[in-house]
Structure formats: C-alpha cells, structure tokens
Amino acid sequence: MSEADFGAGRLGRIHTPEAPQQGAVETPAFFPVLNLIGGPTPVSGGIWSRLRNRLFADDKFQGAMFQAMSFLDFHLSPDSLETWRTEAEGLHEWHTDHDSPKDNPDPAPFTQPLFVDSGGFKLMNSRTFGDPPEEGGEENEWEIYTNPESILSLQYDYGADMLATLDYPIPPDLNQAEKYQRVEDSIDSAVECIRLLEENERYADWDPTVYAAIHGHNYEEIAYYVSNLLERTDYESTIDGFAVGSLVPLRSGNIGTLVDIVQGATDAIPPERRNEIALHVFGIGGRLAPLLATLGVDSYDSSTYIQAAQHKKFIDRETGEKKVVDDIDAAEWDCTCEACKELTEVGFQDMKFVFNADQSYKPIEVKRDGQTMKYMKSDFYALIAHHNFHVFQEEVDDVRRAIDDNRLEQEVWDAAQDNDDIAAGIARAASRWPELESVVPDDVAIDSNAPEANPETYQTIFNDDGEIVVPSQDGTSLSHTPSDFDLQDRSFEPDPTRPICLLVPCSQTKPYSDSRTHGVIDSRLQEAGLRDSVEKVSVSGLYGPVPKEYERDDAILSYDYVLTDADTSQTDLVTRRLKSFLKTYGDEYEQVFGYATSKTYRVVIDDAFTQTGVGKVLPTDPPARRLTEHFRNEHLDELAEKVQQSLNTMPTKEKS
C-alpha cells in the first residue's frame, strides 16, 4: 500500500487468490460491467460476445464486474442456467478454449479476476425470486431466492474471484421506514454471507476476495452501517473490502450526496484496518476518477462505456463528450487506443455504411476494392465499446500515475477547473477534510457546498430493540402489491373523442408520460396529427392496465417494479387483467393497438389480444425483442400509419 500525499488517495493491490491469472489488481482500478452469460452458449450475446473476446486479449483489462442475475436479461430458462452452473468449473472455464464468433476463431482465454455482484437490483422488486419456501416464500424453477445462501451458491458456481454480499438497494426516494429496514436487512445479509463462507464445508476450498455491500443516503447512515456490520460479525477479518451501492442516481446533479456517502465510508473504516480494507463504488467513475481517488475509493465499475456504444457513441478521451458515429470526421479522429488502431478512414466508412443499413442481426456485405467484406453491426458496436473502455481505463491510469508521482493534488486541481461536478464535490469534501481546501477553485465557496446538519442518525431512529421509531411512509414503496391498484375497481370510461386505444409498457419514470419511452411515441403521434385521437393505456408490470388519467394516483407514482418473464405468476395476473380490460372496453374503440418491443411485455399484450380476439401488436415484425427496437423510426412510423389507416376507415360522423 502506497499512500498519496493528498487526501485519502493511495496505490494498492487487490489480491485475488482464486483468479486463474494468479496476480493482483493494481488500484485505483476500473472493472467494466461485462455480461458473461449472453445466452445459452459462450457464443451467444452479439455485442457482448465480441466485446468479451476483445477485452480478454487486452493487457489493460484487469477484470470484469458481472451481475449475478443478469441472465434474466437474456431470458435464460432454468435448464440453460443450470448448464452454465454445473457443466464447467465456473465462468473462467466456460470462456477458455470456447467457441466464438467467426471473426475471431482463436479468442484469448478469460484469466483475469471475476467480480460477481449479488444482483440486488434485479432482486429488489422480483415477485419470483423472493423468500425461499421454508421462510414462507414460493418455490421457483431456478431455485434462486433472495437470501445469502442462495446468492452465495450462485456466486460460487460462477467461480467468483471477488464477490459482493447480497444487499438490499435503496432507491433515492424510498420512504424512510422501508429504507431503514433495508439497511438492517443488508447488514444481516452480509453477516450471514460471511458466516457461511467461514463455516459451510462447501466453501472450504474457496477463497474469494469478499466485499461487504453497504448502503446509505448520507454520511451518518453509511457510518452507522459500517460500524454496525463490523460489530455484528464474528469474522471481521474475512471482510476484504466495502462496496458502496445505490449511487448510480447520484452520478450527476447530486454530487454533494455522493461525496457525503463516500467520505462516510472512508471515515468509518477503522484506522487499524485502513490499509487492509479496499473501497469499491458501484456504477460511478469515469471523469470523477480524480475526485473518487482523493476520497479513498480504490476501484469502481461502470456500464456507461457499453451503453454509449449501443447508441453508436464514442466517448471523447479529452472531453468526455459522447460523439455519434455519423458526426465524426474520420480524418480528424486521432485516438490511438487498441480499438481505434483498427479504424482507418476506410474503416469509418464501412462502419457508417453498416450502421445505416436497414438490415439487422444478419451479416451485411460491404464491397470495396473488388472485395466483399461481411460485417455484423455487433462487430462495430463492440469496437466502439472497446474504445470507450480505454477511455475509462486511461482515467484511472492517469490517477494512478499522479499518485505515484505525488501529483494527485495537481490532478484534482486541474480536474476541478474543467468539471463543475468535481469542483462542487471537492468543496463539499473540504468542509470535512480541510486539507483539501488547496484544490477548491477560487470561485467555488466551501461554506455554500457544505452539508446541512443532519440530526437524524440511525442511533435515534432505532430503539434498543432494533425497532423502527420513525415510520415515515412518504416516497416510493417497494411493498406495493397488485391489490393497491386494479382498474376493475375504478369507474373508468373511455373517451369517445379518442377512438384508438394504444397499450404501451409502463416505465420506471413516473408519471409514465414523462418517460423517454412514452415521449417518443407521443412526439411521433403529435407530428402526424394523431395524438388527440389516441387514448394511451399503460401496461404496468405490477397492476396491469393503467389509463393515462390514473398515472398520478399515489399507488402508480410510488411503486417500483419491472416485470420479467421469470415472474410467471405475475405475468399471468397482468395478462388476466388486460384480457378483462379488452373484454369490457374493447368494443368502445375503433381499434386497439399494442406497441411493445421488449419481450416480456410484448408477449403479455400479444397473449391478451390472441385470447380475446381484440387488438393488434406492433411493430409487426421487429428483428429482435429488445427495448432498443422501441426507438427505431421505422417502427414508430408503422404505428402512426396503422393509427391513420384505422381513422380513415371510420364513418365520417364518428371521425368528427
């Protein structure tokens, strides 16, 4: 361990004795989020398959962050997941000497450390992966439940070199009573996970690097969490690090709270163990790397690099701006990373041609110099993601060099001059750590960025028996059930001036109409002059049909739930309620359409249409059942055309 001469920055090594590479991760470190199960075989996954092969062969790649429940994104059956869990000794073996896309017949083996998160966000509102049967829950085909035993077993089967304990994430606006209970549940879960690692014979030969997942929304909450976790476990020395969660919503616009949480975690680590315990933050990094390192963060992960690529965006290594492929002048693009070395000016032309081709999910021919080349769009998505990975990696490399050269103070000063978030963040941090005042820009006031006094600490919220004594119910609740809203109990009447009914999947954003997914539909209908003829009904994964007039009901605004095809009982409930809606109101509309591209919601809507004989699902034939298809202009155009055709067939009197 080598400490910087500024803040809590330090260089170090995270030892991962289980990793095939048998080395140590140099910190500060970046772990890219990487899907290692993109389908039933190692070849599956499109962009993920090609990106994996690129990263495994990259000397800069120090390991991957893998989310334990991400197999749900690819609709894996229980049998397929069981194959992944049992027919090889972990994901390293699966991705070594494995089949691969034809463009890379001899991929590098996966030898770098595998960091497996518990999948807490996926489990947060699942109605399938709840309590195990012996604790009053329902049995499921995956035999995965929201308890430490089940998730630790999954991490073991994956061959995790590093793991985060099962946690109960805290949405930013979760009501106080539920937030405090989830904190207690996460602490209990970490304690039990550590006990199992020490006492369960199944794990006797397994020595993963263990991160206790921690949560909180302010300095005091994190301090309470860390101190109580260390007090409650009988195996304090088993904890190799803390991993701070629930931070993703704080990446921008709330830098002060992010700083409070990270500082709280750093200050709460006992001084005698400071050099032994690493600090990881989930989902935060990139341009904030100098600030995070100064606050004591040793590693972070992010999926931003690939999310940008999926939107055809290169991240500029100098400015951090995201640039769409079509807006890039190849002659001026001077990046020399491993990925961009492949992109000559001709390469940019080929990439733009492939991306602009109508064809998707099949090879696209490019004729050049008498030769015919074949590309998948995934080839270029993966290349962009590889470039973006290097941008993130260069950020931590720069910080690592600055610490090694005793230049961290200058690095943070320079970053604060160019980045308003870093400037405000370092001012916030300096209000607690005065030694940081030297890098606060002259035009940024420390006092105005300092946190307000927070008299509510956990010691006053819990009594001696551990009972919650501040049961505020304001805000989002994760305890909502389908009985909290059922359209059959409401006096809904279709608007006779809107002869077209449009069913659209719900959104995480509330009210739904403020979401990006609903916004693009609304804009397209408005452009076509059709919006006033359409009555939108959202399909909630928890409640079923929700007409627009009910979007601001408390039960609609305050729930947080996403339907997955693994939740079979819930998909059945939503389908039943949708069928009831169609039987009751279907004849009152000229036509009913459903616009859905995500597989689970599309299947529910299509099943309800088929069983009632009412409605037509759009797009007619999307090349893939993915959310990205929702935004394609060709699909939105088809929706507008179908609505217009239905209106054109109506009698003149009805149209007016």
Side-chain angles (χ1 to χ4, degrees), residues 275-297:
N275 288 337
E276 302 170 8
I277 293 182
L279 185 61
H280 180 86
V281 293
F282 288 117
I284 304 288
R287 308 297 288 183
L288 296 179
L291 173 63
L292 294 175
T294 300
L295 299 179
V297 172

Side-chain angles (χ1 to χ4, degrees), residues 358 360-362 594-599 602-603 606 616-632 634-636 638:
D358 292 335
S360 296
Y361 312 107
K362 293 181 179 179
Y595 185 85
T597 61
S598 294
K599 180 181 177 182
R602 184 179 175 91
V603 167
D606 200 21
K616 178 178 178 59
V617 67
L618 300 172
T620 301
D621 188 23
R625 304 299 192 262
R626 298 176 181 173
L627 179 61
T628 51
E629 296 293 325
H630 179 99
F631 301 97
R632 288 187 183 273
E634 61 200 86
H635 299 330
L636 294 167
E638 182 189 12

Side-chain angles (χ1 to χ4, degrees), residues 171-182:
D173 56 351
L174 187 66
N175 70 64
Q176 292 289 83
E178 291 185 38
K179 178 174 74 172
Y180 302 144
Q181 189 57 60
R182 291 182 77 80

Side-chain angles (χ1 to χ4, degrees), residues 325 343-357 364-368 373 375 380:
V325 168
L343 277 180
T344 61
E345 188 166 340
V346 172
F348 264 102
Q349 293 173 2
D350 288 352
M351 178 167 55
K352 292 179 180 181
F353 177 85
V354 170
F355 278 147
N356 290 320
I364 297 169
E365 292 188 353
V366 179
K367 298 183 183 299
R368 174 166 36 87
M373 313 290 289
Y375 298 103
F380 290 113

Side-chain angles (χ1 to χ4, degrees), residues 415-427:
Q417 305 306 308
D418 298 332
N419 186 302
D420 291 341
D421 275 343
I422 291 179
I426 203 69

Side-chain angles (χ1 to χ4, degrees), residues 117-266:
D117 183 19
S118 68
F121 267 101
K122 292 281 187 185
L123 296 166
M124 182 168 63
N125 50 25
S126 173
R127 300 182 67 81
T128 292
F129 304 101
D131 293 332
E134 61 268 22
E135 296 178 15
E138 295 184 5
E139 185 176 356
N140 66 67
E141 294 180 281
W142 284 263
E143 297 183 353
I144 296 174
Y145 303 97
T146 307
N147 65 358
E149 295 88 343
S150 184
I151 300 305
L152 186 61
S153 177
L154 186 61
Q155 292 168 320
Y156 175 78
D157 289 342
Y158 286 151
D161 308 301
M162 310 165 68
L163 65 85
T165 58
L166 171 64
D167 58 339
Y168 294 79
I170 305 172
D173 56 351
L174 187 66
N175 70 64
Q176 292 289 83
E178 291 185 38
K179 178 174 74 172
Y180 302 144
Q181 189 57 60
R182 291 182 77 80
V183 165
E184 294 299 298
D185 291 342
S186 289
I187 294 175
D188 290 342
S189 175
V191 170
E192 177 61 9
C193 177
I194 293 165
R195 186 194 69 79
L196 289 168
L197 283 167
E198 292 294 333
E199 299 180 7
N200 191 313
E201 291 185 3
R202 185 186 188 208
Y203 308 128
D205 296 327
W206 185 35
D207 187 21
T209 302
V210 179
Y211 283 77
I214 59 177
H215 293 272
H217 282 167
N218 57 49
Y219 183 96
E220 292 80 8
E221 291 175 6
I222 283 288
Y224 170 86
Y225 197 126
V226 172
S227 61
N228 273 261
L229 174 56
L230 293 174
E231 287 176 6
R232 293 186 201 181
T233 180
D234 293 329
Y235 302 101
E236 181 182 330
S237 62
T238 300
I239 299 174
D240 299 302
F242 289 110
V244 188
S246 301
L247 296 179
V248 173
L250 305 177
R251 279 185 294 200
S252 61
N254 204 348
I255 192 69
T257 302
L258 171 62
V259 169
D260 291 347
I261 292 169
V262 175
Q263 267 190 312
T266 299

